[in-house]
Structure formats: structure tokens, C-alpha cells
Amino acid sequence: MRHAFRAQLDALHGGIANLCDHAGSAMDHATEALLQADLQIAEDVIDRYNDIAYLCTSLESDALVILARQAPVAGDLRAVVSSLKDVADLQRMGALATHVARISRRRHPAIAVPAEVADYFGEMGRIAVRLSEDTKNVVLARDPDQAAQLNVDDEAMDELHRELFAQVMNPGWSHGTVTAVDVTLLSRYYERFADHAVDVANRVIYQTTGKQQR
């Protein structure tokens, strides 16, 4: 029974790692669509969210089967429940990528962000992809030290978010209210994407060390 439980839990972690790939790829392509005003890529990101949602539903079902058949307790129970929360975070990350793609589609054929802030979003996209890759590695390795390193990229994302907000609020902003709203929302989507990745990593820290992260 113990061997079966470990095999099922490993398979669950493998599925979550796969979700990290899907979320990172979605945000990577959403960023490309945003900066190039590429309608086809934006549509693909939006359409492929169905794949992410399906994978999430499947993993949630797998986790519930483990709970029902294995009746885990203590740390094992915590691991399965944490996996359910991880799936929810990663589904949200996929949804945030679609939000970016929807703004790109809405403003097509124009580019949704002014040229002077485009580099901010390019960097946010790179950080988002890196966070997805690092989250995948953390999920598979269960390494709390590696998990803690995600906070560095999260802080970099937060700083970019603050800088973009300052740009929009600057009295010299000349791109109007609609664009200001788009930039603010887009920045928030990337910032929240990073937060969800860190939430997954923090659960790994808690599962392996018993210490809650703030």
C-alpha cells in the first residue's frame, strides 16, 4: 500500500510539473502575441486554455482518488491536499496568460502597449517563463532551498510592476485612459502569475520543513 501511494503521489507531482510547462508556454506565447500584435498566437493561447483546464480536472480527480483509496494521514495527507492547491494555482496561471492574450486580441491590429513600456513586458514575460521552469524543477525535486530562490524572481517582477504603475501615474503619460488601464491590468496579470508560482514553491518548503512562508 505504501509503495502504491508513493507511486500515485509521484505521478501526481509529474502531472503538476507538466502543468508548469503548459502555464509557462502559455505566458510565453501570450507575451509574444502582446508585443507583436499577433492575432493568431493570441487566439491559440486562448484556445489552448481548454487543455490546461482539462489537465487540472484530471489531476484533481487523481488526487481525490488517492484520498479515497489510500486515506493518507499527517504528512502524506498534507502532500495530497497541497497538490490540489498547486493545481488550482497553476490553473490560475494559465488563466492569467489568457487574460494577456485577450487584451492583445482586443487591441489588434494595434499593439496594446506603448513602445516606451514594451521592454517592461518583455522582461516580465521572461521572468514568468523562468518562474514556471523553476517551479517545475521544485515540484519534481522537492528541494526547499531551490524553492526559496523563486522569491528573487518574484521580487524582480514586483519591482517591474511598481515601475509600470509609476509610468502610468506620471503626469507626462500621453497615451490616454484606455491604454493606461490596459497597461495596469497587464502588469497585474504578470505580477499575479509570479505570485501563484511562489505559492506553489512555498508549499514545497512547508511540506519538507514544516515551516510556513510569509
Side-chain angles (χ1 to χ4, degrees), residues 4-20 55-67 70 72 76-88 90 136 139-140 142 200 207:
F5 172 78
R6 294 310 313 175
Q8 289 172 332
L9 190 59
D10 287 345
L12 187 58
H13 288 157
I16 292 170
N18 185 40
L19 263 182
C20 292
L55 287 171
C56 289
T57 299
S58 178
L59 288 170
E60 288 170 349
S61 177
D62 291 344
L64 292 174
V65 167
I66 293 174
L67 289 173
Q70 303 293 343
D76 291 341
L77 176 60
R78 189 168 65 206
V80 179
V81 172
S82 292
S83 294
L84 281 167
K85 294 178 180 178
D86 292 345
V87 171
L90 285 158
K136 173 186 175 179
V139 166
L140 293 174
R142 319 306 292 174
V200 174
Q207 290 169 45

Side-chain angles (χ1 to χ4, degrees), residues 41-214:
I41 294 176
E43 294 283 9
D44 287 345
V45 171
I46 295 165
D47 290 344
R48 288 178 183 176
Y49 178 70
N50 290 331
D51 296 335
I52 293 176
Y54 175 81
L55 287 171
C56 289
T57 299
S58 178
L59 288 170
E60 288 170 349
S61 177
D62 291 344
L64 292 174
V65 167
I66 293 174
L67 289 173
R69 292 182 177 176
Q70 303 293 343
V73 297
D76 291 341
L77 176 60
R78 189 168 65 206
V80 179
V81 172
S82 292
S83 294
L84 281 167
K85 294 178 180 178
D86 292 345
V87 171
D89 275 315
L90 285 158
Q91 183 167 12
R92 187 60 187 152
M93 288 164 70
L96 288 163
T98 68
H99 293 342
V100 173
R102 288 180 192 280
I103 287 181
S104 178
R105 181 176 68 177
R106 188 180 307 133
R107 302 305 172 205
H108 185 268
I111 296 176
V113 296
E116 59 262 41
V117 299
D119 286 348
Y120 286 93
F121 288 104
E123 182 61 17
M124 283 179 145
R126 284 187 287 273
I127 292 173
V129 171
R130 188 162 63 238
L131 278 165
S132 300
E133 293 171 351
D134 290 345
T135 302
K136 173 186 175 179
N137 293 333
V138 164
V139 166
L140 293 174
R142 319 306 292 174
D143 184 343
D145 293 329
Q146 188 178 12
Q149 291 301 309
L150 268 72
N151 286 292
V152 175
D153 274 337
D154 183 45
E155 289 171 4
M157 187 76 88
D158 288 344
E159 179 59 28
L160 289 167
H161 178 58
R162 286 190 291 268
E163 290 177 10
L164 275 168
F165 187 72
Q167 290 261 6
V168 170
M169 296 303 293
N170 190 307
W173 177 263
S174 61
H175 301 286
T177 302
V178 171
T179 302
V181 170
D182 282 346
V183 168
T184 302
L185 286 174
L186 286 163
S187 179
R188 179 62 172 165
Y189 296 152
Y190 284 95
E191 189 259 345
R192 288 300 299 151
F193 186 98
D195 286 347
H196 285 292
V198 170
D199 284 345
V200 174
N202 284 343
R203 281 190 209 99
V204 170
I205 296 174
Y206 179 57
Q207 290 169 45
T208 54
T209 70
K211 295 179 181 179
Q212 291 276 14
Q213 301 299 298
R214 293 184 178 181

Side-chain angles (χ1 to χ4, degrees), residues 22-41:
H22 280 272
S25 177
M27 189 57 97
D28 187 30
H29 287 104
T31 303
E32 183 179 358
L34 175 69
L35 297 179
Q36 298 183 12
D38 192 311
L39 181 60
Q40 185 57 59
I41 294 176

